[in-house]
């Protein structure tokens, strides 16, 4: 008998290396390219942290070659039990489309999930697939577990300034924000697979307070796993996590991660966000 269904994700999930090692999760790198053409693979190469505020930096999704290589490795490890790949929203990156092509080249042996999210929310959705696999679910049931988790997850983000969003092109309804004074601190959320404006405030303090209030409302008194993500702002991330957990009734697990250079390039230094996932068993991150 093979190992449980093998799970693959991409580096935007921000899952800790220790967790990936424990559960045999395979990760496909996203790409960061400097203005001079230097290219880095996230999660593989040592990327300078200041690229998130360096002009001319671009990012790109996982390559078809890297995806196929990871899937082939996962199929070998699965020994016939199957592979489920959980990737960032198809509306944010070409990664999902490339993943489908890689799966097709392998005769559909890999089920590819559009998580409809990115960052720590993708990480938590990936863990829903992992937990279903560990419980002995078949490949298609693991796929469905991830789809359900992605559909019910909630993700919010506050950014310190609008410069990175202005140039990233990843934000829906940018005109409503970018036509405003630069002092505006927006609260963004994932809506139908894209990053969109939820509301805006005059100060970061007010935006953070409202984000915490909203997370509590979205949890609706249910048990939720909480993930906090940040771009070079661990102190504020810790404060946000404490504030959220103190107001929720049942939090089996928490996770705090840095957004890394790919996502950080789009949201900029200082950004802090919260994601919640329903129905996860306790996780030792």
């Amino acid at each position: 008998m093979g190992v449980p269904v093998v799970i693959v994700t991409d580096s935007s999930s921000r899952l800790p290396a220790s967790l990936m090692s424990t559960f045999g999760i395979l990760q496909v790198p996203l790409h960061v390219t400097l203005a001079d053409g230097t290219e880095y693979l996230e999660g593989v190469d040592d990327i300078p942290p200041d690229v998130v505020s360096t002009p001319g930096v671009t990012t790109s999704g996982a390559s078809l070659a890297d995806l196929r290589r990871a899937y082939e490795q996962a199929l070998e490890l699965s020994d016939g039990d199957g592979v489920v790949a959980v990737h960032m929203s198809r509306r944010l990156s070409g990664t999902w489309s490339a993943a489908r092509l890689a799966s097709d080249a392998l005769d559909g042996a890999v089920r590819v999930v559009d998580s409809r999210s990115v960052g720590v929310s993708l990480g938590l959705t990936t863990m829903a697939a992992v937990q279903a696999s560990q419980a002995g679910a078949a490949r298609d049931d693991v796929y469905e577990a991830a789809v359900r988790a992605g559909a019910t997850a909630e993700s919010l983000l506050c950014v310190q300034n609008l410069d990175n969003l202005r140039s990233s092109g990843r934000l829906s309804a940018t005109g409503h924000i970018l036509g405003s004074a630069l002092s505006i601190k927006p609260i963004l959320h994932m809506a139908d697979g894209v990053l969109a404006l939820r509301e805006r405030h005059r100060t970061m303090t007010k935006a953070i307070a409202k984000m915490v209030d909203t997370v509590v409302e979205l949890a609706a008194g249910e048990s939720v796993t909480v993930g906090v993500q940040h771009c070079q702002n661990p102190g504020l991330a810790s404060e946000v996590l404490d504030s959220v957990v103190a107001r929720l009734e049942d939090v089996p697990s928490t996770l705090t991660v840095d957004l890394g250079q790919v996502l950080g390039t789009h949201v900029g230094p200082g950004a802090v966000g919260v994601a919640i996932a329903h129905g996860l068993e306790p996780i030792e991150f």
Side-chain angles (χ1 to χ4, degrees):
M1 177 178 290
V3 299
V5 175
V6 177
I7 309 302
V8 182
T9 189
D10 57 71
S11 63
S12 73
S13 70
R14 310 310 301 153
L15 289 175
S18 58
L19 197 67
M20 292 190 291
S21 176
T22 297
F23 293 105
I25 305 167
L26 301 185
Q27 176 178 277
V28 186
L30 303 181
H31 298 242
V32 177
T33 305
L34 305 187
D36 64 5
T38 302
E39 185 175 46
Y40 296 97
L41 299 180
E42 187 176 50
V44 176
D45 299 325
D46 186 12
I47 308 176
D50 62 355
V51 302
V52 301
S53 53
T54 301
V57 173
T58 59
T59 66
S60 55
S63 71
L64 178 59
D66 285 343
L67 287 159
R68 179 163 180 170
R69 187 159 42 246
Y71 294 171
E72 289 173 340
Q73 180 184 354
L75 286 167
E76 290 179 2
L77 293 171
S78 75
D79 194 23
D81 285 358
V83 174
V84 172
V86 188
H87 291 298
M88 65 191 297
S89 172
R90 74 177 80 179
R91 299 186 66 185
L92 293 177
S93 166
T95 297
W96 182 87
S97 296
R100 286 297 301 271
L101 290 174
S103 176
D104 290 346
L106 297 170
D107 299 321
V110 178
R111 295 295 307 270
V112 180
V113 177
D114 175 2
S115 69
R116 302 166 61 85
S117 62
V118 71
V120 72
S121 184
L122 167 58
L124 296 179
T125 299
T126 300
M127 288 308 302
V130 169
Q131 291 188 347
S133 172
Q134 292 290 312
R139 184 195 66 169
D140 290 350
D141 293 328
V142 172
Y143 169 86
E144 293 295 341
V147 170
R148 286 194 301 272
T152 58
E154 301 283 356
S155 184
L156 302 168
L157 181 74
C158 294
V159 298
Q160 288 277 16
N161 64 69
L162 302 173
D163 293 341
N164 292 64
L165 287 173
R166 187 187 298 276
S167 59
S168 74
R170 294 300 199 276
L171 181 64
S172 174
T174 53
H176 295 302
I177 300 177
L178 302 182
S180 306
L182 291 179
S183 61
I184 291 297
K185 307 301 180 184
I187 300 177
L188 311 175
H189 69 138
M190 292 302 302
D192 196 25
V194 297
L195 192 62
L197 173 66
R198 186 180 181 98
E199 56 187 270
R200 51 191 179 182
H201 295 273
R202 290 290 178 183
T203 67
M204 191 67 169
T205 299
K206 290 181 179 179
I208 291 293
K210 182 58 178 178
M211 180 175 68
V212 172
D213 289 343
T214 303
V215 168
V216 174
E217 293 170 6
L218 292 170
E222 298 179 3
S223 174
V224 291
T225 298
V226 176
V228 174
Q229 55 194 354
H230 66 92
C231 181
Q232 301 176 357
N233 202 350
L236 182 55
S238 179
E239 292 176 11
V240 168
L241 178 61
D242 290 344
S243 297
V244 170
V245 171
R247 294 179 58 187
L248 295 179
E249 297 180 21
D250 185 4
V251 181
S253 309
T254 65
L255 171 67
T256 302
V257 301
D258 189 286
L259 280 165
Q261 285 77 14
V262 170
L263 299 182
T265 295
H266 295 287
V267 302
V272 175
V274 182
I276 56 173
H278 300 263
L280 287 179
E281 297 296 324
I283 305 167
E284 236 182 273
F285 290 107

